[in-house]
Amino acid sequence: MNKIYLRPAAAALLLASGLSGCAGSAATTTTTPSSDTAAATKETIGDTRAPQTPAPAGTLTAAPAETPTEAGFQVVSEQFADLRMLRYQVPGFETLTPKQKELLYYLYEAGLSGRDISYDQNYRHNLRVRRTLEALWEANQERRSATTNTQQVDQAQKFNVYAKRFWFSNGLHHHYSTRKFVPECSREYFAELVRAVDASTLPLLPNETVDQFLTTMTPVIFDPTLDAKRVNQEAGQDLVKTSANNFYQNLTQKEVEDYYAKKIDKKDLTPISYGLNSRLVKDKSGKIVEQTWKVGGLYGKSITQIVYWLGKAVDVAETPEQKLALQRLIKYYSTGDLKVWDDYNIAWVRDTKSRTDVVNGFIEVYGDPLGYRASYESVVSFKDLEATKRIKAIGDQAQWFEDNSPILPKHKKKNVVGITAKVITVVGESGDAAPATPIGINLPNATWIRKEHGSKSVNLGNIVEAYDQANAGGSLDEFAFSDEEKQRARQFSSLAGKLHTDMHEVIGHASGQINPGVGTTKETLKSYASAIEEGRADLVALYYVMDPKLVQMGVMPSLEVGKTEYDGYIRNGLMVQLTRLPLGETVEESHMRNRQMVAKWAYEKGQKDKVIEKVTRDGKTFFKINDYEKLRALFGQLLRETQRITSEGDYNGAKNLIETYGVKVDPVLHKEVLARYQKLNIAPYQGFIQPRLVPVEANGKITDVKLEYPTDFAQQMLEYGRKYSFLPNVN
């Protein structure tokens, strides 16, 4: 639960402000080998992948790519539905050694090898649906190009949009709202496509006919009421039975909670992350069992591939510490032992000297309404040495921030240890981290490991840079109240956003402590744990971004940066993020709940002094901050309360805070915001086409790695489907 995502329209706000990018944004990466190497050896671009079952033959061609040396790199690729596809560059890749590039290539392949897992975790039918879309894609393109019938062209285009939405969300539930979306093309058109292709390319079950396949899969794809929500967080409902994710089978929420209540010892000071890497099911005899995700277990074929590539990475590890961490990760995947997972995390935290790094595993629990089971993800990266100076300066002062926090003294850590802070350059992402990506990460998630061994906090520098470069335009002028607010944003919003991310990850998630014997937040705060934790980390960032300490440290020029962040946070929490919700819906996603909770609580508590004022001008609503110091004090009060709730495990306090301030939406304001935002033609969600790493081989060994930038999202998804399909249709 320790991630931060770009706030809605933040990139639009930044670029509408005319901000320049970070230093190094124009850097290019050389893909060709050096002339010396080329002269010495005969080089070929090879595929060193592990042996695997061949994918069904198809008409797929490789996704078009820009070479990194092309001028005028285009960040924005396309826009469809409520989504916009971007691309990011990998500056500094050319400065890495051949061995470092080889290591990144192996980690990149390991990450993509687990891609199937994310689809199956999200929904039990997702792999069949994805492989159906892959099988039908070319036939649909041929239909679209072979006819002038506008209705047929329209149907074909609607099918394309659905397929791309599905790939973006790693399944048929929206990646953010988790609500099911359905195709706008007709069922009849879908059936025509299915019957037109070779049946052997369809994901048929044994002895299943095409007609039987259609009978089963049509409602799965087209019925919006069938498995309508992947993650249900609505109070008063059975969150397990009403969530469509594939983490539980034949169980109720109470049965799951009772199962873990018997297993977990709250007095254990170093508890494992119960349930993190398994599916919990009730078998035919009524016995509850965990199906562990490991080599030889559930998802074993994909995990075997992951382990293969991690094994190759071990051989070229940069440091002994990195080698040990990778070896422990392999052992964890091989055994499924969650104690080994803790051992790996400790080793990973201690690996601070390596330039390269990877997040790989079952990490975040947002996809489980009860917060036990984690989604697969991978982020492969290397350190941005220059940009890291800013975030490192913050991490080096962690104890000062803890000592001066407004939280209760008994909830403060007496000795903050081992916070490693850096800005990373992302090379490739997969699973739950792609196409939609976080911009900041703090790991490990285990509270006791962070307390005793420390944590790593990262800002995804080139991802943030790509957002900054993506010209969406208009949002700032539409929702900011005054010219002063707009001008301040144009000057400082890029830095303000980066500092918020730094403080959220480096200080926020690593701060505070839980009272002895209370237990973890997923046990105590249950479905509200993620929203409270993200709110707590946000409040740490908000409290300190208006502190003169940051000016004294030299990481920001003045408190005008803090004011910029306050303006944007309130504007987003009370208005702009509502663009992500259909009219009439409540807020359920944890990050959205936390932002609305913080903003609405501060607005309400400051009404007497008009700290934040609601203003109507020309029929439009605005929120204007009148007193930034009083607002900072309010943020401090709420930080103290969220930390108290966390430290004491106060479920009722968490429920009251989130349900009162984070869930309900003013329908009149919501309708207004949607109408204003629609005119801007800005997609509220953005994600990325990933770079492609291609090994250069000589005499059977990798001598270099080429970096390519594909330009076509659909073609990349089809390529991934062909190369990284390891799991059966039903798991």
Side-chain angles (χ1 to χ4, degrees), residues 248-468:
Y248 303 99
Q249 290 183 359
N250 305 319
L251 289 162
T252 66
Q253 178 178 344
K254 185 177 186 306
E255 286 174 323
V256 175
E257 291 173 344
D258 289 346
Y259 176 81
Y260 284 110
K262 294 176 183 177
K263 293 178 72 75
I264 296 174
D265 178 6
K266 290 187 177 182
K267 296 180 181 179
D268 185 355
L269 300 180
T270 60
I272 62 171
S273 301
Y274 288 94
L276 191 76
N277 65 335
S278 67
R279 178 194 292 160
L280 194 66
V281 304
K282 184 194 290 184
D283 62 22
K284 294 180 180 179
S285 67
K287 182 181 179 181
I288 298 177
V289 296
E290 291 188 81
Q291 299 174 336
T292 305
W293 308 325
K294 64 176 182 175
V295 172
L298 193 58
Y299 302 143
K301 290 185 177 180
S302 276
I303 295 174
T304 297
Q305 291 287 327
I306 296 171
V307 167
Y308 169 82
W309 290 108
L310 291 176
K312 296 182 78 68
V314 166
D315 295 336
V316 290
E318 286 190 72
T319 64
E321 292 83 3
Q322 186 180 60
K323 183 175 183 178
L324 176 62
L326 290 171
Q327 287 173 331
R328 287 184 174 176
L329 181 57
I330 290 171
K331 183 179 179 181
Y332 161 67
Y333 272 133
S334 300
T335 64
D337 187 340
L338 286 168
K339 179 63 175 64
V340 177
W341 172 248
D342 289 342
D343 294 340
Y344 157 70
N345 277 283
I346 293 169
W348 179 75
V349 165
R350 290 174 177 170
D351 173 28
T352 59
K353 296 179 182 178
S354 301
R355 178 85 186 272
T356 57
D357 206 350
V358 66
V359 171
N360 185 296
F362 306 110
I363 309 291
E364 303 292 353
V365 297
Y366 300 113
D368 179 356
L370 302 188
Y372 286 99
R373 303 182 140 70
S375 301
Y376 172 80
E377 71 173 273
S378 172
V379 179
V380 180
S381 66
F382 60 92
K383 186 189 296 185
D384 182 332
L385 299 177
E386 183 61 30
T388 292
K389 293 177 182 178
R390 179 194 74 241
I391 194 171
K392 183 179 183 300
I394 291 171
D396 288 346
Q397 294 293 322
Q399 190 66 58
W400 185 92
F401 289 117
E402 186 79 355
D403 292 343
N404 289 275
S405 172
I407 66 177
L408 294 172
K410 63 182 179 180
H411 297 152
K412 294 180 181 181
K413 290 179 179 176
K414 300 297 185 291
N415 182 29
V416 180
V417 299
I419 294 181
T420 302
K422 59 184 178 180
V423 176
I424 62 172
T425 298
V426 175
V427 175
E429 298 176 296
S430 182
D432 193 45
T437 170
I439 57 174
I441 300 172
N442 173 270
L443 291 172
N445 280 331
T447 303
W448 71 268
I449 295 180
R450 293 206 304 272
K451 180 180 179 180
E452 296 183 15
H453 301 278
S455 62
K456 284 184 181 178
S457 296
V458 300
N459 181 306
L460 283 62
N462 58 330
I463 297 294
V464 173
E465 179 68 16
Y467 279 129
D468 286 357

Side-chain angles (χ1 to χ4, degrees), residues 84 160 362 396 444 536 545:
R84 191 166 65 145
N160 282 354
F362 306 110
D396 288 346
R536 191 182 68 87
V545 80

Side-chain angles (χ1 to χ4, degrees), residues 26-48:
T28 57
T29 304
T30 303
T31 59
T32 54
S34 68
S35 56
D36 291 341
T37 306
T41 61
K42 181 179 180 181
E43 294 166 323
T44 58
I45 298 175
D47 185 355
T48 58

Side-chain angles (χ1 to χ4, degrees), residues 142-343:
E142 290 171 3
R143 281 186 169 229
R144 188 175 63 166
S145 61
T147 183
T148 58
N149 184 304
T150 56
Q151 290 184 336
Q152 285 289 308
V153 171
D154 181 60
Q155 289 289 305
Q157 181 58 30
K158 287 176 177 177
F159 175 88
N160 282 354
V161 170
Y162 176 77
K164 286 187 279 191
R165 292 187 71 189
F166 180 93
W167 287 322
F168 190 99
S169 295
N170 293 320
L172 51 69
H173 296 90
H174 195 280
H175 77 286
Y176 206 83
S177 72
T178 81
R179 289 174 175 82
K180 185 176 183 179
F181 54 86
V182 299
E184 293 185 8
C185 66
S186 69
R187 299 184 181 208
E188 292 74 20
Y189 183 80
F190 172 74
E192 289 174 12
L193 283 177
V194 169
R195 291 194 170 97
V197 300
D198 184 342
S200 67
T201 66
L202 296 171
L204 302 178
L205 300 180
N207 302 316
E208 185 179 36
T209 67
V210 172
D211 284 343
Q212 290 170 333
F213 171 79
L214 281 170
T215 298
T216 299
M217 298 307 295
T218 299
V220 167
I221 295 172
F222 284 89
D223 185 351
T225 65
L226 178 64
D227 298 324
K229 192 178 295 184
R230 176 167 59 87
V231 185
N232 183 26
Q233 294 281 13
E234 190 170 339
Q237 296 192 13
D238 187 312
L239 303 185
V240 170
K241 292 184 71 174
T242 58
S243 295
N245 62 61
N246 201 13
F247 290 142
Y248 303 99
Q249 290 183 359
N250 305 319
L251 289 162
T252 66
Q253 178 178 344
K254 185 177 186 306
E255 286 174 323
V256 175
E257 291 173 344
D258 289 346
Y259 176 81
Y260 284 110
K262 294 176 183 177
K263 293 178 72 75
I264 296 174
D265 178 6
K266 290 187 177 182
K267 296 180 181 179
D268 185 355
L269 300 180
T270 60
I272 62 171
S273 301
Y274 288 94
L276 191 76
N277 65 335
S278 67
R279 178 194 292 160
L280 194 66
V281 304
K282 184 194 290 184
D283 62 22
K284 294 180 180 179
S285 67
K287 182 181 179 181
I288 298 177
V289 296
E290 291 188 81
Q291 299 174 336
T292 305
W293 308 325
K294 64 176 182 175
V295 172
L298 193 58
Y299 302 143
K301 290 185 177 180
S302 276
I303 295 174
T304 297
Q305 291 287 327
I306 296 171
V307 167
Y308 169 82
W309 290 108
L310 291 176
K312 296 182 78 68
V314 166
D315 295 336
V316 290
E318 286 190 72
T319 64
E321 292 83 3
Q322 186 180 60
K323 183 175 183 178
L324 176 62
L326 290 171
Q327 287 173 331
R328 287 184 174 176
L329 181 57
I330 290 171
K331 183 179 179 181
Y332 161 67
Y333 272 133
S334 300
T335 64
D337 187 340
L338 286 168
K339 179 63 175 64
V340 177
W341 172 248
D342 289 342
D343 294 340

Side-chain angles (χ1 to χ4, degrees), residues 401 404-409 411-412 535-547 566 598 601-602 605 611 627-645 657:
F401 289 117
N404 289 275
S405 172
I407 66 177
L408 294 172
H411 297 152
K412 294 180 181 181
R536 191 182 68 87
D538 262 1
L539 286 160
V540 170
L542 290 166
Y543 183 76
Y544 282 117
V545 80
M546 275 292 291
D547 197 304
Y566 279 22
V598 170
W601 186 95
K605 299 303 181 183
V611 176
D627 193 322
Y628 291 90
E629 284 300 327
K630 286 185 177 180
L631 181 54
R632 186 191 182 212
L634 288 171
F635 286 148
Q637 292 174 32
L638 185 55
L639 171 57
R640 177 180 291 212
E641 175 62 7
T642 54
Q643 182 62 60
R644 184 200 65 77
I645 288 170
L657 201 55

Side-chain angles (χ1 to χ4, degrees), residues 583-631:
L583 189 63
E585 291 191 354
T586 58
V587 181
E588 290 197 42
E589 199 280 331
S590 294
H591 294 83
M592 287 182 68
R593 280 185 168 189
N594 111 63
R595 288 189 289 259
Q596 179 172 289
M597 178 269 291
V598 170
K600 188 175 282 189
W601 186 95
Y603 170 67
E604 180 182 295
K605 299 303 181 183
Q607 275 189 314
K608 180 181 178 181
D609 296 329
K610 292 189 176 180
V611 176
I612 304 170
E613 186 177 0
K614 185 177 181 180
V615 180
T616 301
R617 185 178 64 201
D618 300 328
K620 296 180 179 180
T621 302
F622 300 90
F623 288 91
K624 172 177 173 281
I625 299 174
N626 293 319
D627 193 322
Y628 291 90
E629 284 300 327
K630 286 185 177 180
L631 181 54

